[in-house]
Amino acid sequence: MEVCYQLPVLPLDRPVPKHVLSRRGAISFSSSSSLFGAPDPRQLSQRRGAISYDSSDQTALYIRMLGDVRVRSQVGFEPERRSSHQYLCIDFRTLHGEFETLTSFLQGIKIEVLLSFQRYLHSSRLLRGLPQQIPLHILDEDYTGQARCMLEKVGNWNFDIFLFNKLTNGNSLINLTFHLLNQYGLIELFQLDMVKLWRFLVMVQEDYHNDNPYHNAVHAADVTQAMYCFLQEPMLSKSLTSCDILLGLLAAATHDLDHPGVNQPFLIKTNHYLATLYRNTSVLENHHWKSAVGLLRETGLFSHLPPEDSRNMEADLGSLILATDISRQNDYLSRFRRHLDQDDLCLSNASHRHFVLQMALKCADICNPCRPWELSKQWSEKVTEEFFQQGDIEKKHKLEISPVCDRASNTVGNIQIGFMTYVAEPLFVEWARFSDTRLSQTMLGHMGLNKASWGSLQQEQSSAEVPFEEKSELKNETRSIQTLAGLLLSDAVLHLY
């Protein structure tokens, strides 16, 4: 089991080593566990991505860096419980010994992502003095043949992100995002330092929790690939600027950064520090945005840009990520409908382009029901399992079980049918009005087939469990409550994704 160790604080009168100050700071607020401890709110100003991102106090920076190093071990450490709730606790263990001992200990840890990047540095065409090309074909030597072939069809809606993740040894988000930025020529256009960019993407992937069944780096990669498909649509491809495209891809890659695996109502009812920090409003989305900005500043990816441009890009990135708050789905959808009804969307207008980019990211975020059945079914099972895990935690600690989170009274099928009917379908119908292309019709077609498939599975399951003489009575009862159940379900799922 992965645990988080708090390392000893350096004495204030001891100078901070220069090599330490050049290293990255705290990895994230949370541990890799699906639940995490809640620190004292007074400490938030000393954590990356909370209230402030930087500090002139080098000792504080050093302490912050040491406070979130993750290592694996089973013996030799005494646990220290930190939590404001008995059901929100993980073990934070104190490592005893000198800093030199720690350094030698950490050097023995195998970090495959970083080692892979070192191989990339040595084999890069750029480092061998070959001239730059557009796009820069610098990633070929790091991919297997199969992964490279998949990237040649990255704009295909049937793209299998699960297979691509296996072919890239679990690094789908890094490789896919780098490839797309490179393919658009954005690396050279914005003069992005490739080492900083790769480091940024590695840190982004690290900050997703792989033990979340759904909200993990593979989901982020899937949303990024879907976003690319939408950016290729004629209505957008001929109107969006290079800055729009850069922000759209980065927002897709970071839109669920450091997701804890539980929803906003759970954080609010357990008085979690994030809910307090963001005043119970778009709690997770604000955290994703601030975490992304923290990584941008930590890596200095945009440090070469004028300060005003850099700040504007951070704000626009936040506006895109905040749009993925599905509890505000109806607000965005109503505005989108009004624009389409009045036919007044003007993509030469920067604010209108940004709004369309928000809608594209919203579609990419919940496009799972629109994928082919083999992919859609896997995503449905994963997101439902994450709901059920939250319900198990709530049941264990005698909390009120959130809607659709009780595995004893819900199934994957009924949750997905409700989500498609009341959330996904209205959004994608309007998107098809805006961009009436083969892709939008394909997505609606897949959604209809997937909905029917879940209905058939539900019917088969019910037939296997219910005696024949009771089937007709249950059928009539089911029809009479479908409307009410659907309305309740739609309201519930809005708070879960």
Side-chain angles (χ1 to χ4, degrees):
M1 181 181 69
E2 186 174 3
V3 294
C4 183
Y5 295 97
Q6 182 180 10
L7 307 182
V9 174
L10 196 69
L12 296 179
D13 58 347
R14 179 177 174 181
V16 181
K18 292 182 179 180
H19 72 278
V20 173
L21 295 178
S22 64
R23 294 175 59 187
R24 67 173 289 195
I27 294 177
S28 68
F29 283 128
S30 60
S31 75
S32 61
S33 174
S34 60
L35 284 178
F36 43 86
D40 189 325
R42 291 174 296 181
Q43 299 174 354
L44 290 178
S45 61
Q46 297 177 347
R47 302 296 296 275
R48 188 204 75 202
I51 297 174
S52 64
Y53 300 103
D54 42 314
S55 170
S56 59
D57 185 343
Q58 293 186 339
T59 301
L61 177 63
Y62 184 40
I63 294 171
R64 210 156 59 241
M65 186 274 298
L66 290 182
D68 207 19
V69 175
R70 296 177 184 176
V71 295
R72 295 177 181 271
S73 181
Q74 295 179 348
V75 295
F77 306 106
E78 293 297 328
E80 177 188 354
R81 294 296 179 100
R82 289 185 179 181
S83 176
S84 59
H85 303 281
Q86 60 178 353
Y87 44 82
L88 284 179
C89 56
I90 60 172
D91 285 344
F92 289 81
R93 303 179 183 239
T94 303
L95 178 61
H96 302 286
E98 297 297 329
F99 179 75
E100 291 75 16
T101 304
L102 169 67
T103 302
S104 61
F105 174 75
L106 292 178
Q107 287 176 347
I109 301 175
K110 182 179 181 182
I111 307 177
E112 294 183 357
V113 173
L114 296 181
L115 291 178
S116 177
F117 183 46
Q118 290 173 356
R119 289 195 297 270
Y120 151 75
L121 285 176
H122 287 295
S123 63
S124 170
R125 291 189 176 188
L126 292 180
L127 294 184
R128 285 186 276 131
L130 296 183
Q132 296 186 10
Q133 304 176 32
I134 302 176
L136 302 171
H137 300 289
I138 56 176
L139 297 178
D140 292 359
E141 295 177 6
D142 291 305
Y143 290 125
T144 63
Q146 289 177 308
R148 189 163 60 251
C149 287
M150 287 194 69
L151 284 177
E152 293 175 358
K153 300 180 180 180
V154 68
N156 191 319
W157 188 247
N158 297 339
F159 190 86
D160 189 341
I161 196 64
F162 299 110
L163 174 59
F164 183 73
N165 193 59
K166 292 178 181 178
L167 295 176
T168 56
N169 194 29
N171 295 316
S172 57
L173 181 58
I174 299 172
N175 293 324
L176 178 70
T177 308
F178 202 115
H179 172 79
L180 294 178
L181 294 174
N182 174 46
Q183 180 166 294
Y184 272 111
L186 298 173
I187 298 175
E188 183 171 355
L189 181 63
F190 287 91
Q191 298 181 348
L192 300 178
D193 184 295
M194 286 189 295
V195 174
K196 290 181 179 179
L197 175 60
W198 190 275
R199 182 167 177 253
F200 170 76
L201 295 176
V202 168
M203 292 165 70
V204 166
Q205 182 169 277
E206 285 179 352
D207 277 6
Y208 279 96
H209 300 189
N210 289 332
D211 43 1
N212 288 346
Y214 181 79
H215 289 105
N216 50 42
V218 183
H219 166 66
D222 184 62
V223 172
T224 304
Q225 189 271 337
M227 189 66 172
Y228 171 73
C229 292
F230 298 148
L231 294 178
Q232 294 292 299
E233 291 286 80
M235 290 289 290
L236 278 73
S237 62
K238 66 183 181 182
S239 304
L240 296 179
T241 66
S242 297
C243 186
D244 294 331
I245 295 172
L246 175 64
L247 287 171
L249 293 176
L250 291 181
T254 61
H255 80 285
D256 274 332
L257 193 61
D258 198 29
H259 196 292
V262 292
N263 61 13
Q264 174 174 292
F266 183 92
L267 298 179
I268 293 174
K269 71 184 177 182
T270 55
N271 297 318
H272 194 271
Y273 73 93
L274 286 178
T276 303
L277 178 63
Y278 298 115
R279 299 183 179 182
N280 300 341
T281 303
S282 298
V283 175
L284 289 172
E285 289 72 27
N286 271 298
H287 178 53
H288 305 326
W289 167 36
K290 295 301 177 63
S291 298
V293 172
L295 291 184
L296 285 173
R297 296 188 179 185
E298 196 171 337
T299 58
L301 184 61
F302 294 151
S303 60
H304 62 290
L305 301 177
E308 184 178 358
D309 292 345
S310 180
R311 288 192 297 268
N312 289 338
M313 293 188 75
E314 291 174 357
D316 288 342
L317 181 69
S319 178
L320 291 174
I321 293 176
L322 289 174
T324 62
D325 182 355
I326 203 165
S327 67
R328 300 179 59 197
Q329 174 90 348
N330 291 332
D331 296 337
Y332 282 94
L333 190 55
S334 297
R335 181 183 170 190
F336 197 35
R337 281 198 185 107
R338 285 197 302 271
H339 279 301
L340 295 177
D341 291 340
Q342 298 171 9
D343 193 24
D344 62 355
L345 273 175
C346 179
L347 296 186
S348 61
N349 183 304
S351 63
H352 284 197
R353 286 201 311 274
H354 187 75
F355 175 67
V356 170
L357 208 57
Q358 289 176 315
M359 298 306 299
L361 182 58
K362 288 178 67 62
C363 289
D365 189 25
I366 61 170
C367 71
N368 303 148
C370 302
R371 296 286 192 179
W373 170 251
E374 294 76 13
L375 301 176
S376 179
K377 184 173 183 290
Q378 292 184 66
W379 285 121
S380 298
E381 292 169 346
K382 288 176 181 296
V383 72
T384 305
E385 179 56 29
E386 190 165 299
F387 295 164
F388 288 166
Q389 286 186 7
Q390 176 178 321
D392 294 342
I393 295 168
E394 292 168 331
K395 184 181 298 184
K396 176 180 178 181
H397 298 287
K398 297 180 174 54
L399 299 171
E400 180 183 0
I401 301 179
S402 300
V404 199
C405 289
D406 189 351
R407 67 172 74 242
S409 58
N410 293 281
T411 64
V412 179
N414 64 32
I415 292 174
Q416 290 305 308
I417 291 173
F419 182 77
M420 291 185 214
T421 302
Y422 301 103
V423 182
E425 193 170 9
L427 176 63
F428 284 96
V429 166
E430 298 304 321
W431 181 261
R433 285 180 61 195
F434 166 72
S435 179
D436 187 9
T437 63
R438 180 178 179 180
L439 174 60
S440 60
Q441 296 305 318
T442 297
M443 292 190 296
L444 289 175
H446 282 314
M447 189 186 307
L449 292 174
N450 294 337
K451 188 176 177 180
S453 297
W454 283 118
S456 297
L457 290 177
Q458 288 288 99
Q459 188 173 8
E460 291 175 6
Q461 183 178 6
S462 299
S463 299
E465 296 175 353
V466 179
F468 177 78
E469 58 272 12
E470 298 180 13
K471 289 181 182 179
S472 59
E473 296 181 6
L474 286 176
K475 187 174 182 180
N476 293 331
E477 293 178 3
T478 300
R479 288 175 178 173
S480 65
I481 65 172
Q482 275 181 339
T483 302
L484 177 60
L487 292 174
L488 292 174
L489 186 59
S490 66
D491 181 68
V493 295
L494 279 175
H495 295 283
L496 289 170
Y497 277 77

